[in-house]
Amino acid sequence: MKVGETLIKVEGIRKSFPGVLALDKVDFELKSGTVHALMGENGAGKSTLVKVMMGIYGRDSGRMWLKGQEVDFKTPKEALDAGMSFIPQELCPVPDMTVAENIWLGRESSYFNIFVNYAKINSMTEEVLARIGVELDPKCLMKTLSTAEVQLVEIAKAISLDNDVLIMDEPTSAIGEKEVEKLFEIVELLKAQGKGIIYVSHRMEEIFTITDEITVFRDGRMVGTVTTKDITRGELITLMIGTTLDQEYVKKNVPTQEVLLEVEDLTIKGKCEDISLKVHKGEILGLFGLVGAGRSEFFSALFGVEKKQRGSVRIKGKEVRIKSPSDAIRNGMALVTEDRKESGLVLTSSVQENTSIASLREDVVGGLISRSKELERVNSMINKFRVKTPSERQLVGNLSGGNQQKVVLGRWVLTRPRILLLDEPTRGIDVGAKREIYKFMSDFAAAGNAVIMISSEIPEVLGMSDRIVILRDHKVIAEKPRAEIDQDMLMHLASFSS
Protein backbone atom coordinates (compact mmCIF):
# COMPACT_ATOMS: atom_id res chain seq x y z
CA MET A 1 0.00 0.00 0.00
CA LYS A 2 1.29 3.46 -0.95
CA VAL A 3 2.10 5.99 1.76
CA GLY A 4 -0.86 8.31 2.35
CA GLU A 5 -3.60 5.88 1.30
CA THR A 6 -6.46 5.27 3.74
CA LEU A 7 -5.93 2.23 5.97
CA ILE A 8 -8.77 2.74 8.44
CA LYS A 9 -11.85 4.88 8.18
CA VAL A 10 -14.67 5.13 10.73
CA GLU A 11 -17.85 7.17 10.44
CA GLY A 12 -20.49 8.04 13.02
CA ILE A 13 -19.24 5.65 15.71
CA ARG A 14 -21.41 5.77 18.80
CA LYS A 15 -20.89 3.82 22.03
CA SER A 16 -22.58 4.17 25.41
CA PHE A 17 -22.23 2.53 28.81
CA PRO A 18 -24.73 2.72 31.70
CA GLY A 19 -25.02 6.41 32.51
CA VAL A 20 -22.22 7.43 30.14
CA LEU A 21 -22.14 8.34 26.43
CA ALA A 22 -18.53 7.37 25.68
CA LEU A 23 -18.48 8.08 21.92
CA ASP A 24 -20.87 10.37 20.06
CA LYS A 25 -20.82 10.15 16.25
CA VAL A 26 -17.04 9.95 15.95
CA ASP A 27 -15.24 10.08 12.58
CA PHE A 28 -11.60 9.10 12.14
CA GLU A 29 -9.15 8.22 9.37
CA LEU A 30 -5.68 6.60 9.48
CA LYS A 31 -3.35 6.83 6.48
CA SER A 32 -0.59 4.38 5.62
CA GLY A 33 2.95 5.40 6.49
CA THR A 34 1.83 7.80 9.24
CA VAL A 35 1.59 7.99 13.01
CA HIS A 36 -1.77 9.42 14.08
CA ALA A 37 -2.19 10.47 17.71
CA LEU A 38 -5.44 10.34 19.65
CA MET A 39 -5.45 13.03 22.33
CA GLY A 40 -7.88 14.22 24.99
CA GLU A 41 -8.52 14.21 28.70
CA ASN A 42 -9.17 10.94 30.52
CA GLY A 43 -12.67 9.82 29.70
CA ALA A 44 -12.71 11.75 26.42
CA GLY A 45 -13.22 8.56 24.39
CA LYS A 46 -9.77 7.71 22.97
CA SER A 47 -9.36 4.22 24.42
CA THR A 48 -13.04 3.47 23.84
CA LEU A 49 -12.67 4.18 20.12
CA VAL A 50 -9.60 1.94 19.97
CA LYS A 51 -11.44 -0.89 21.71
CA VAL A 52 -14.42 -0.53 19.37
CA MET A 53 -12.12 -0.72 16.35
CA MET A 54 -10.41 -3.82 17.80
CA GLY A 55 -13.70 -5.61 18.49
CA ILE A 56 -13.25 -5.49 22.27
CA TYR A 57 -16.41 -3.37 22.55
CA GLY A 58 -19.38 -3.66 20.21
CA ARG A 59 -20.46 -0.32 18.74
CA ASP A 60 -24.01 0.98 19.08
CA SER A 61 -23.96 2.52 15.59
CA GLY A 62 -21.56 3.70 12.90
CA ARG A 63 -19.40 2.07 10.23
CA MET A 64 -15.75 1.07 9.82
CA TRP A 65 -13.58 0.22 6.82
CA LEU A 66 -10.16 -1.48 6.81
CA LYS A 67 -8.14 -1.14 3.58
CA GLY A 68 -11.35 -0.27 1.71
CA GLN A 69 -13.42 -3.20 2.99
CA GLU A 70 -16.21 -2.61 5.48
CA VAL A 71 -15.67 -4.55 8.71
CA ASP A 72 -17.44 -5.13 12.00
CA PHE A 73 -15.14 -7.11 14.27
CA LYS A 74 -16.88 -9.07 16.99
CA THR A 75 -13.70 -10.22 18.72
CA PRO A 76 -10.09 -9.00 18.97
CA LYS A 77 -8.98 -12.17 17.15
CA GLU A 78 -10.98 -11.10 14.09
CA ALA A 79 -9.19 -7.74 14.12
CA LEU A 80 -5.79 -9.40 14.56
CA ASP A 81 -6.44 -11.82 11.71
CA ALA A 82 -7.49 -8.89 9.49
CA GLY A 83 -4.18 -7.09 10.06
CA MET A 84 -4.55 -4.98 13.22
CA SER A 85 -2.26 -5.22 16.28
CA PHE A 86 -2.91 -3.67 19.68
CA ILE A 87 -0.70 -2.75 22.63
CA PRO A 88 -3.24 -2.10 25.43
CA GLN A 89 -2.82 0.37 28.25
CA GLU A 90 -4.04 -2.29 30.68
CA LEU A 91 -1.30 -4.90 30.74
CA CYS A 92 -2.69 -8.42 30.60
CA PRO A 93 0.10 -11.02 30.68
CA VAL A 94 -0.39 -14.70 31.53
CA PRO A 95 1.74 -14.62 34.71
CA ASP A 96 2.57 -18.32 34.93
CA MET A 97 3.75 -18.53 31.34
CA THR A 98 7.18 -17.56 30.04
CA VAL A 99 8.03 -14.46 28.03
CA ALA A 100 8.22 -16.56 24.85
CA GLU A 101 4.90 -18.29 25.54
CA ASN A 102 3.21 -14.92 26.08
CA ILE A 103 4.56 -13.43 22.87
CA TRP A 104 3.61 -16.41 20.69
CA LEU A 105 0.44 -17.49 22.50
CA GLY A 106 -1.93 -18.99 19.92
CA ARG A 107 0.81 -18.79 17.24
CA GLU A 108 3.27 -21.33 18.64
CA SER A 109 5.68 -23.15 16.38
CA SER A 110 5.04 -26.86 16.89
CA TYR A 111 5.99 -30.39 15.94
CA PHE A 112 3.20 -32.18 14.02
CA ASN A 113 0.74 -29.48 15.24
CA ILE A 114 0.84 -31.13 18.66
CA PHE A 115 4.02 -30.36 20.58
CA VAL A 116 5.28 -26.82 21.05
CA ASN A 117 8.73 -26.23 19.60
CA TYR A 118 10.14 -24.34 22.58
CA ALA A 119 13.61 -24.01 21.08
CA LYS A 120 12.09 -22.27 18.05
CA ILE A 121 9.83 -19.85 19.97
CA ASN A 122 12.65 -19.02 22.38
CA SER A 123 14.91 -18.22 19.43
CA MET A 124 12.20 -16.11 17.74
CA THR A 125 11.63 -14.29 21.02
CA GLU A 126 15.30 -13.39 21.28
CA GLU A 127 15.12 -11.95 17.76
CA VAL A 128 12.03 -9.78 18.35
CA LEU A 129 13.32 -8.55 21.72
CA ALA A 130 16.61 -7.63 20.08
CA ARG A 131 14.69 -5.50 17.56
CA ILE A 132 13.53 -3.23 20.39
CA GLY A 133 16.80 -3.44 22.30
CA VAL A 134 15.51 -5.48 25.23
CA GLU A 135 17.55 -8.09 27.09
CA LEU A 136 15.19 -10.58 28.72
CA ASP A 137 15.41 -14.34 29.10
CA PRO A 138 12.66 -15.83 26.88
CA LYS A 139 12.28 -18.65 29.46
CA CYS A 140 11.61 -16.45 32.51
CA LEU A 141 8.07 -16.33 33.89
CA MET A 142 6.03 -13.16 33.35
CA LYS A 143 5.15 -12.96 37.04
CA THR A 144 8.81 -12.35 37.86
CA LEU A 145 8.99 -9.23 35.64
CA SER A 146 8.54 -5.60 36.63
CA THR A 147 5.69 -3.53 35.17
CA ALA A 148 8.16 -1.89 32.77
CA GLU A 149 9.44 -5.26 31.56
CA VAL A 150 5.88 -6.53 31.04
CA GLN A 151 5.20 -3.41 28.94
CA LEU A 152 8.24 -4.17 26.79
CA VAL A 153 7.03 -7.74 26.24
CA GLU A 154 3.62 -6.39 25.11
CA ILE A 155 5.40 -4.11 22.62
CA ALA A 156 7.47 -7.02 21.32
CA LYS A 157 4.34 -9.15 20.96
CA ALA A 158 2.55 -6.52 18.88
CA ILE A 159 5.55 -5.91 16.64
CA SER A 160 6.00 -9.67 16.09
CA LEU A 161 2.60 -9.83 14.37
CA ASP A 162 3.88 -7.65 11.49
CA ASN A 163 0.39 -6.26 10.78
CA ASP A 164 -0.48 -3.23 8.65
CA VAL A 165 -2.09 -1.35 11.54
CA LEU A 166 -0.52 -1.02 14.98
CA ILE A 167 -2.46 0.62 17.82
CA MET A 168 -0.37 1.78 20.78
CA ASP A 169 -2.29 2.83 23.91
CA GLU A 170 0.17 4.54 26.28
CA PRO A 171 3.06 2.29 25.12
CA THR A 172 5.77 4.24 26.97
CA SER A 173 3.96 4.82 30.26
CA ALA A 174 6.10 2.31 32.16
CA ILE A 175 9.38 2.24 30.26
CA GLY A 176 12.53 4.33 30.49
CA GLU A 177 14.08 6.90 28.16
CA LYS A 178 16.41 4.43 26.41
CA GLU A 179 13.57 2.02 25.67
CA VAL A 180 11.45 4.93 24.39
CA GLU A 181 14.19 5.96 21.97
CA LYS A 182 14.44 2.40 20.66
CA LEU A 183 10.65 2.20 20.28
CA PHE A 184 10.67 5.41 18.25
CA GLU A 185 13.31 3.92 15.94
CA ILE A 186 11.00 0.93 15.39
CA VAL A 187 8.06 3.27 14.73
CA GLU A 188 10.04 5.13 12.04
CA LEU A 189 10.97 1.81 10.45
CA LEU A 190 7.31 0.71 10.41
CA LYS A 191 6.29 4.04 8.85
CA ALA A 192 8.84 3.54 6.09
CA GLN A 193 7.25 0.14 5.41
CA GLY A 194 3.90 1.85 4.84
CA LYS A 195 2.26 0.73 8.06
CA GLY A 196 -0.16 2.95 9.95
CA ILE A 197 0.14 3.58 13.67
CA ILE A 198 -2.51 4.91 16.01
CA TYR A 199 -0.72 6.40 19.01
CA VAL A 200 -2.54 7.18 22.25
CA SER A 201 -0.43 9.09 24.78
CA HIS A 202 -0.59 11.95 27.27
CA ARG A 203 3.12 12.72 26.94
CA MET A 204 3.31 15.92 24.92
CA GLU A 205 7.01 15.51 24.12
CA GLU A 206 6.30 12.18 22.43
CA ILE A 207 3.34 13.50 20.46
CA PHE A 208 5.40 16.28 18.92
CA THR A 209 8.38 13.98 18.32
CA ILE A 210 6.80 10.97 16.67
CA THR A 211 3.37 11.81 15.20
CA ASP A 212 2.21 13.22 11.86
CA GLU A 213 -1.43 13.96 12.71
CA ILE A 214 -3.44 14.47 15.89
CA THR A 215 -7.15 13.90 16.44
CA VAL A 216 -8.48 15.50 19.61
CA PHE A 217 -11.43 14.19 21.63
CA ARG A 218 -13.47 15.93 24.29
CA ASP A 219 -16.43 14.41 26.18
CA GLY A 220 -16.80 11.56 23.70
CA ARG A 221 -16.77 13.81 20.63
CA MET A 222 -14.10 14.44 18.03
CA VAL A 223 -13.31 18.16 18.16
CA GLY A 224 -10.74 18.26 15.37
CA THR A 225 -7.86 16.73 13.43
CA VAL A 226 -4.66 18.72 12.89
CA THR A 227 -1.25 18.24 11.35
CA THR A 228 1.27 17.96 14.19
CA LYS A 229 3.75 20.44 12.75
CA ASP A 230 1.02 23.07 12.43
CA ILE A 231 -0.03 23.24 16.10
CA THR A 232 1.74 24.38 19.27
CA ARG A 233 1.72 22.71 22.65
CA GLY A 234 -0.45 25.47 24.11
CA GLU A 235 -2.94 25.31 21.24
CA LEU A 236 -3.19 21.52 21.60
CA ILE A 237 -3.91 21.78 25.34
CA THR A 238 -6.59 24.40 24.68
CA LEU A 239 -8.17 22.12 22.07
CA MET A 240 -8.13 19.21 24.53
CA ILE A 241 -9.57 20.88 27.63
CA GLY A 242 -11.47 23.78 26.09
CA THR A 243 -9.49 26.40 27.99
CA THR A 244 -5.90 27.48 28.50
CA LEU A 245 -3.60 25.81 31.02
CA ASP A 246 -1.63 28.69 32.51
CA GLN A 247 0.85 26.61 34.51
CA GLU A 248 1.44 22.90 34.01
CA TYR A 249 3.49 22.29 37.14
CA VAL A 250 1.81 23.62 40.27
CA LYS A 251 4.45 24.07 42.93
CA LYS A 252 4.06 26.25 46.02
CA ASN A 253 5.63 24.10 48.75
CA VAL A 254 8.83 25.23 50.46
CA PRO A 255 11.01 22.60 52.20
CA THR A 256 12.05 23.21 55.81
CA GLN A 257 15.24 22.13 57.56
CA GLU A 258 13.36 19.63 59.76
CA VAL A 259 13.93 16.00 58.73
CA LEU A 260 10.67 14.06 58.62
CA LEU A 261 11.95 10.74 57.22
CA GLU A 262 15.45 9.29 57.34
CA VAL A 263 16.38 5.99 55.70
CA GLU A 264 19.78 4.39 56.23
CA ASP A 265 21.33 1.41 54.37
CA LEU A 266 17.98 -0.08 53.31
CA THR A 267 18.75 -3.32 51.47
CA ILE A 268 17.04 -6.18 49.67
CA LYS A 269 19.87 -8.00 47.91
CA GLY A 270 19.68 -7.64 44.14
CA LYS A 271 16.75 -5.20 44.32
CA CYS A 272 17.86 -2.18 46.36
CA GLU A 273 21.15 -1.95 48.19
CA ASP A 274 22.42 0.36 50.92
CA ILE A 275 19.95 3.11 50.10
CA SER A 276 20.18 6.10 52.41
CA LEU A 277 18.27 9.36 52.09
CA LYS A 278 16.54 12.10 54.06
CA VAL A 279 13.26 13.85 53.35
CA HIS A 280 12.33 17.15 54.99
CA LYS A 281 8.98 18.53 56.04
CA GLY A 282 7.45 20.45 53.17
CA GLU A 283 9.60 18.70 50.56
CA ILE A 284 8.91 16.82 47.35
CA LEU A 285 11.84 14.47 46.76
CA GLY A 286 12.20 13.07 43.26
CA LEU A 287 13.52 9.53 42.78
CA PHE A 288 14.86 8.94 39.27
CA GLY A 289 16.49 6.00 37.53
CA LEU A 290 16.23 3.90 34.40
CA VAL A 291 14.23 0.67 34.20
CA GLY A 292 15.70 -1.84 36.65
CA ALA A 293 17.48 0.76 38.77
CA GLY A 294 15.61 -0.33 41.92
CA ARG A 295 13.17 2.56 42.41
CA SER A 296 9.94 0.60 42.97
CA GLU A 297 11.83 -2.07 44.89
CA PHE A 298 13.00 0.61 47.32
CA PHE A 299 9.39 1.65 47.91
CA SER A 300 8.42 -2.00 48.51
CA ALA A 301 11.14 -2.34 51.14
CA LEU A 302 10.36 0.98 52.79
CA PHE A 303 6.61 0.29 52.96
CA GLY A 304 7.01 -3.28 54.24
CA VAL A 305 5.69 -4.98 51.12
CA GLU A 306 8.95 -6.95 50.93
CA LYS A 307 11.10 -7.88 53.91
CA LYS A 308 14.33 -5.90 54.04
CA GLN A 309 17.58 -7.66 54.92
CA ARG A 310 19.02 -4.66 56.72
CA GLY A 311 18.59 -0.95 57.20
CA SER A 312 16.81 1.45 59.50
CA VAL A 313 13.95 3.93 59.16
CA ARG A 314 13.42 6.97 61.37
CA ILE A 315 10.38 9.22 61.37
CA LYS A 316 10.80 12.58 63.13
CA GLY A 317 14.03 11.24 64.64
CA LYS A 318 12.48 8.10 66.12
CA GLU A 319 13.38 4.68 64.74
CA VAL A 320 10.35 2.70 63.63
CA ARG A 321 9.96 -0.98 62.73
CA ILE A 322 8.11 -1.52 59.47
CA LYS A 323 7.60 -5.21 58.75
CA SER A 324 4.32 -4.90 56.84
CA PRO A 325 2.20 -2.26 55.06
CA SER A 326 -0.02 -2.02 58.16
CA ASP A 327 3.06 -1.00 60.17
CA ALA A 328 3.82 1.66 57.55
CA ILE A 329 0.27 3.00 57.62
CA ARG A 330 0.31 3.20 61.43
CA ASN A 331 3.49 5.25 61.17
CA GLY A 332 1.90 7.75 58.81
CA MET A 333 3.04 6.43 55.43
CA ALA A 334 1.01 5.79 52.29
CA LEU A 335 2.01 4.15 48.99
CA VAL A 336 0.47 4.74 45.56
CA THR A 337 1.85 1.92 43.40
CA GLU A 338 2.88 2.25 39.75
CA ASP A 339 0.19 -0.07 38.39
CA ARG A 340 -3.19 1.05 39.71
CA LYS A 341 -5.10 -1.73 37.93
CA GLU A 342 -2.84 -4.55 39.15
CA SER A 343 -2.01 -3.52 42.71
CA GLY A 344 -3.82 -0.26 43.43
CA LEU A 345 -7.50 -1.02 42.85
CA VAL A 346 -10.13 -3.73 43.05
CA LEU A 347 -11.66 -3.10 39.63
CA THR A 348 -14.80 -5.14 40.32
CA SER A 349 -15.62 -3.11 43.45
CA SER A 350 -17.22 0.30 43.72
CA VAL A 351 -15.63 3.72 44.06
CA GLN A 352 -16.89 3.75 47.65
CA GLU A 353 -15.34 0.40 48.56
CA ASN A 354 -12.02 1.24 46.92
CA THR A 355 -11.82 4.62 48.63
CA SER A 356 -12.66 3.50 52.16
CA ILE A 357 -10.90 0.12 52.28
CA ALA A 358 -7.67 1.33 53.92
CA SER A 359 -9.37 3.34 56.68
CA LEU A 360 -12.55 1.46 57.59
CA ARG A 361 -11.61 1.63 61.29
CA GLU A 362 -12.58 5.30 61.13
CA ASP A 363 -16.16 4.29 60.31
CA VAL A 364 -16.71 1.85 63.21
CA VAL A 365 -19.44 2.90 65.62
CA GLY A 366 -20.40 0.52 68.43
CA GLY A 367 -18.43 -2.32 66.91
CA LEU A 368 -20.14 -2.00 63.51
CA ILE A 369 -19.25 -0.08 60.37
CA SER A 370 -21.40 3.01 59.98
CA ARG A 371 -22.25 3.17 56.29
CA SER A 372 -23.42 6.77 56.60
CA LYS A 373 -20.08 7.81 58.13
CA GLU A 374 -18.20 5.84 55.46
CA LEU A 375 -20.27 7.49 52.72
CA GLU A 376 -19.63 10.94 54.14
CA ARG A 377 -15.85 10.41 54.12
CA VAL A 378 -15.89 8.85 50.64
CA ASN A 379 -17.88 11.73 49.19
CA SER A 380 -15.47 14.19 50.75
CA MET A 381 -12.69 12.57 48.70
CA ILE A 382 -14.80 12.44 45.54
CA ASN A 383 -15.36 16.18 45.91
CA LYS A 384 -11.77 16.95 46.94
CA PHE A 385 -10.26 15.23 43.91
CA ARG A 386 -13.18 16.02 41.58
CA VAL A 387 -13.64 12.38 40.62
CA LYS A 388 -15.92 12.09 37.60
CA THR A 389 -18.31 9.29 38.49
CA PRO A 390 -22.11 8.91 38.24
CA SER A 391 -22.13 7.91 41.92
CA GLU A 392 -19.99 6.37 44.64
CA ARG A 393 -21.57 3.02 43.72
CA GLN A 394 -20.04 3.02 40.22
CA LEU A 395 -17.57 0.18 39.60
CA VAL A 396 -14.11 1.71 39.66
CA GLY A 397 -13.16 -0.37 36.62
CA ASN A 398 -15.61 1.72 34.56
CA LEU A 399 -13.80 4.99 35.33
CA SER A 400 -11.12 6.60 33.18
CA GLY A 401 -7.48 6.17 34.17
CA GLY A 402 -7.21 9.65 35.65
CA ASN A 403 -10.28 9.20 37.79
CA GLN A 404 -9.06 5.80 38.95
CA GLN A 405 -5.81 7.43 40.06
CA LYS A 406 -7.79 10.05 41.99
CA VAL A 407 -9.66 7.26 43.78
CA VAL A 408 -6.32 5.71 44.84
CA LEU A 409 -5.10 9.08 46.12
CA GLY A 410 -8.38 9.68 47.96
CA ARG A 411 -8.10 6.31 49.67
CA TRP A 412 -4.68 7.13 51.08
CA VAL A 413 -5.57 10.68 52.07
CA LEU A 414 -8.30 9.20 54.28
CA THR A 415 -5.57 7.43 56.28
CA ARG A 416 -4.14 10.88 57.16
CA PRO A 417 -0.52 10.16 56.13
CA ARG A 418 2.48 12.38 56.78
CA ILE A 419 4.73 10.73 54.17
CA LEU A 420 3.37 9.94 50.71
CA LEU A 421 5.20 7.54 48.40
CA LEU A 422 4.08 8.09 44.79
CA ASP A 423 5.24 5.62 42.14
CA GLU A 424 4.51 7.06 38.67
CA PRO A 425 1.60 9.16 40.02
CA THR A 426 0.54 10.57 36.63
CA ARG A 427 1.12 7.50 34.48
CA GLY A 428 -1.40 7.37 31.64
CA ILE A 429 -3.46 10.42 32.61
CA ASP A 430 -4.17 13.66 30.79
CA VAL A 431 -2.69 17.12 31.33
CA GLY A 432 -5.73 18.41 33.20
CA ALA A 433 -5.76 15.53 35.68
CA LYS A 434 -1.97 15.78 35.99
CA ARG A 435 -2.25 19.40 37.01
CA GLU A 436 -4.79 18.50 39.71
CA ILE A 437 -2.43 15.84 41.09
CA TYR A 438 0.50 18.26 41.02
CA LYS A 439 -1.56 20.76 43.00
CA PHE A 440 -2.46 18.10 45.53
CA MET A 441 1.21 17.12 45.91
CA SER A 442 2.25 20.73 46.43
CA ASP A 443 -0.55 21.40 48.92
CA PHE A 444 0.20 18.17 50.79
CA ALA A 445 3.88 19.05 51.18
CA ALA A 446 3.10 22.68 52.02
CA ALA A 447 0.96 21.46 54.94
CA GLY A 448 4.13 20.15 56.65
CA ASN A 449 4.16 16.68 55.11
CA ALA A 450 6.59 15.07 52.64
CA VAL A 451 6.35 13.40 49.23
CA ILE A 452 8.76 10.97 47.58
CA MET A 453 7.90 10.71 43.89
CA ILE A 454 9.16 8.15 41.38
CA SER A 455 8.66 9.25 37.78
CA SER A 456 10.03 8.20 34.41
CA GLU A 457 9.03 11.55 32.91
CA ILE A 458 12.05 13.83 33.15
CA PRO A 459 10.04 17.08 32.78
CA GLU A 460 7.84 15.95 35.67
CA VAL A 461 10.84 15.12 37.88
CA LEU A 462 12.45 18.47 37.14
CA GLY A 463 9.18 20.37 37.39
CA MET A 464 7.97 19.03 40.75
CA SER A 465 11.03 17.97 42.78
CA ASP A 466 12.93 20.09 45.31
CA ARG A 467 15.78 17.57 45.32
CA ILE A 468 16.44 14.58 43.10
CA VAL A 469 18.01 11.29 44.19
CA ILE A 470 19.35 9.26 41.26
CA LEU A 471 19.49 5.45 41.39
CA ARG A 472 21.58 3.15 39.21
CA ASP A 473 22.18 -0.58 39.62
CA HIS A 474 19.98 -0.66 42.75
CA LYS A 475 22.04 2.00 44.55
CA VAL A 476 21.98 5.75 45.14
CA ILE A 477 24.69 7.23 42.93
CA ALA A 478 23.92 10.96 43.21
CA GLU A 479 21.75 13.56 44.93
CA LYS A 480 21.20 17.02 43.49
CA PRO A 481 19.10 20.08 44.35
CA ARG A 482 16.68 20.82 41.53
CA ALA A 483 18.45 24.08 40.70
CA GLU A 484 21.73 22.27 40.02
CA ILE A 485 20.58 19.66 37.51
CA ASP A 486 19.13 19.59 34.02
CA GLN A 487 17.79 16.89 31.70
CA ASP A 488 21.16 16.00 30.16
CA MET A 489 22.89 15.68 33.53
CA LEU A 490 20.02 13.62 34.93
CA MET A 491 20.16 11.13 32.07
CA HIS A 492 23.97 10.97 32.21
CA LEU A 493 23.98 10.21 35.93
CA ALA A 494 21.28 7.55 35.54
CA SER A 495 22.95 5.92 32.55
CA PHE A 496 26.70 5.94 32.99
CA SER A 497 29.26 5.16 35.64
CA SER A 498 31.08 8.26 36.82
Side-chain angles (χ1 to χ4, degrees):
M1 180 170 281
K2 294 180 181 179
V3 172
E5 292 186 3
T6 299
L7 270 175
I8 291 180
K9 183 177 181 180
V10 300
E11 286 184 356
I13 295 292
R14 184 181 175 93
K15 176 64 180 176
S16 61
F17 299 100
V20 178
L21 180 58
L23 294 174
D24 187 11
K25 299 179 181 177
V26 168
D27 299 334
F28 172 74
E29 187 173 339
L30 173 69
K31 300 181 181 71
S32 62
T34 66
V35 180
H36 197 132
L38 303 185
M39 296 286 288
E41 294 189 89
N42 287 104
K46 311 178 299 298
S47 293
T48 301
L49 176 61
V50 165
K51 290 176 180 177
V52 167
M53 288 193 291
M54 284 298 300
I56 297 171
Y57 294 154
R59 58 183 182 257
D60 299 336
S61 60
R63 304 173 71 187
M64 173 176 167
W65 292 264
L66 175 62
K67 292 184 285 189
Q69 182 177 352
E70 187 164 2
V71 293
D72 183 11
F73 300 128
K74 302 300 182 183
T75 66
K77 187 177 187 306
E78 291 182 8
L80 288 170
D81 291 343
M84 295 177 64
S85 300
F86 181 39
I87 302 172
Q89 180 179 355
E90 300 90 357
L91 303 178
C92 49
V94 183
D96 289 314
M97 283 188 171
T98 67
V99 168
E101 289 169 330
N102 269 263
I103 289 178
W104 303 101
L105 187 62
R107 303 178 290 141
E108 297 90 347
S109 176
S110 62
Y111 299 108
F112 313 113
N113 292 321
I114 300 175
F115 304 107
V116 175
N117 185 343
Y118 285 104
K120 181 71 177 293
I121 67 170
N122 288 338
S123 174
M124 292 191 300
T125 299
E126 288 178 348
E127 291 177 8
V128 73
L129 289 175
R131 287 179 63 189
I132 58 173
V134 177
E135 294 183 6
L136 282 177
D137 183 353
K139 297 187 287 292
C140 71
L141 295 178
M142 293 296 292
K143 65 183 179 183
T144 67
L145 303 184
S146 68
T147 301
E149 289 168 333
V150 173
Q151 181 79 71
L152 291 169
V153 172
E154 287 286 353
I155 292 170
K157 181 178 181 179
I159 290 173
S160 73
L161 290 161
D162 198 29
N163 281 336
D164 292 325
V165 176
L166 179 56
I167 302 174
M168 300 182 172
D169 194 353
E170 300 289 350
T172 64
S173 60
I175 62 177
E177 294 290 326
K178 285 187 174 181
E179 291 80 12
V180 170
E181 290 176 8
K182 188 64 180 180
L183 176 63
F184 285 180
E185 291 176 10
I186 296 291
V187 167
E188 291 294 344
L189 179 62
L190 294 174
K191 281 177 59 177
Q193 295 171 357
K195 301 186 186 298
I197 298 167
I198 299 174
Y199 196 89
V200 183
S201 177
H202 294 297
R203 294 185 174 184
M204 289 286 183
E205 292 79 8
E206 295 180 4
I207 295 300
F208 284 97
T209 298
I210 200 66
T211 71
D212 302 291
E213 293 184 287
I214 304 170
T215 292
V216 178
F217 291 79
R218 193 189 316 145
D219 298 326
R221 296 181 176 88
M222 189 197 78
V223 297
T225 296
V226 297
T227 302
T228 305
K229 63 182 178 60
D230 292 336
I231 193 170
T232 67
R233 181 187 180 104
E235 291 168 341
L236 180 57
I237 291 173
T238 299
L239 200 59
M240 288 169 56
I241 66 179
T243 185
T244 58
L245 191 62
D246 297 327
Q247 184 184 356
E248 187 170 353
Y249 297 105
V250 183
K251 189 161 176 59
K252 299 177 181 178
N253 63 294
V254 179
T256 70
Q257 294 299 311
E258 183 180 346
V259 175
L260 183 56
L261 171 70
E262 184 173 2
V263 180
E264 187 172 351
D265 296 331
L266 196 66
T267 296
I268 299 177
K269 191 68 173 176
K271 295 185 176 182
C272 58
E273 299 183 18
D274 301 317
I275 293 182
S276 299
L277 55 81
K278 295 179 181 179
V279 192
H280 300 86
K281 287 180 63 175
E283 183 177 32
I284 298 175
L285 179 71
L287 208 58
F288 184 78
L290 303 182
V291 173
R295 303 168 304 169
S296 299
E297 291 81 359
F298 166 66
F299 271 8
S300 291
L302 180 58
F303 200 68
V305 177
E306 290 195 61
K307 184 179 179 181
K308 65 179 184 292
Q309 292 170 322
R310 65 173 180 272
S312 62
V313 177
R314 286 185 288 276
I315 297 177
K316 297 183 71 173
K318 180 182 178 182
E319 185 166 352
V320 295
R321 294 185 178 275
I322 298 176
K323 296 183 177 181
S324 67
S326 59
D327 290 338
I329 294 169
R330 278 196 298 272
N331 282 285
M333 297 172 65
L335 170 62
V336 176
T337 58
E338 65 176 325
D339 191 337
R340 55 182 170 265
K341 293 181 181 293
E342 179 68 25
S343 57
L345 294 166
V346 182
L347 297 177
T348 54
S349 294
S350 68
V351 171
Q352 178 174 336
E353 291 164 333
N354 273 275
T355 304
S356 64
I357 191 170
S359 58
L360 277 173
R361 289 189 184 89
E362 299 285 332
D363 303 318
V364 174
V365 177
L368 299 174
I369 294 174
S370 169
R371 292 303 178 188
S372 61
K373 188 175 180 182
E374 177 191 5
L375 187 59
E376 180 182 351
R377 293 193 315 120
V378 167
N379 280 324
S380 73
M381 288 299 103
I382 290 174
N383 294 331
K384 177 181 177 68
F385 286 99
R386 296 198 292 180
V387 179
K388 294 180 182 178
T389 177
S391 78
E392 69 280 349
R393 295 185 298 276
Q394 174 70 277
L395 293 182
V396 79
N398 291 338
L399 302 186
S400 68
N403 287 297
Q404 289 177 347
Q405 190 74 336
K406 291 176 183 180
V407 170
V408 176
L409 286 168
R411 171 202 299 164
W412 289 115
V413 168
L414 285 178
T415 67
R416 296 196 290 271
R418 296 294 308 279
I419 301 159
L420 190 55
L421 312 179
L422 300 178
D423 195 347
E424 304 288 1
T426 65
R427 178 189 173 200
I429 65 177
D430 63 79
V431 290
K434 280 185 177 182
R435 191 176 189 277
E436 292 181 40
I437 290 175
Y438 296 150
K439 182 179 185 303
F440 162 72
M441 290 167 59
S442 180
D443 290 345
F444 180 82
N449 303 306
V451 176
I452 307 179
M453 176 188 69
I454 293 172
S455 177
S456 299
E457 295 191 41
I458 291 179
E460 182 171 83
V461 173
L462 297 175
M464 289 304 298
S465 303
D466 298 297
R467 282 185 302 128
I468 302 172
V469 170
I470 299 101
L471 299 184
R472 188 178 65 234
D473 298 328
H474 316 131
K475 298 178 181 179
V476 173
I477 56 92
E479 177 186 312
K480 297 285 184 181
R482 164 64 190 91
E484 296 180 11
I485 194 167
D486 60 17
Q487 178 167 325
D488 291 340
M489 183 187 296
L490 190 59
M491 278 302 297
H492 179 80
L493 289 170
S495 304
F496 304 105
S497 300
S498 301

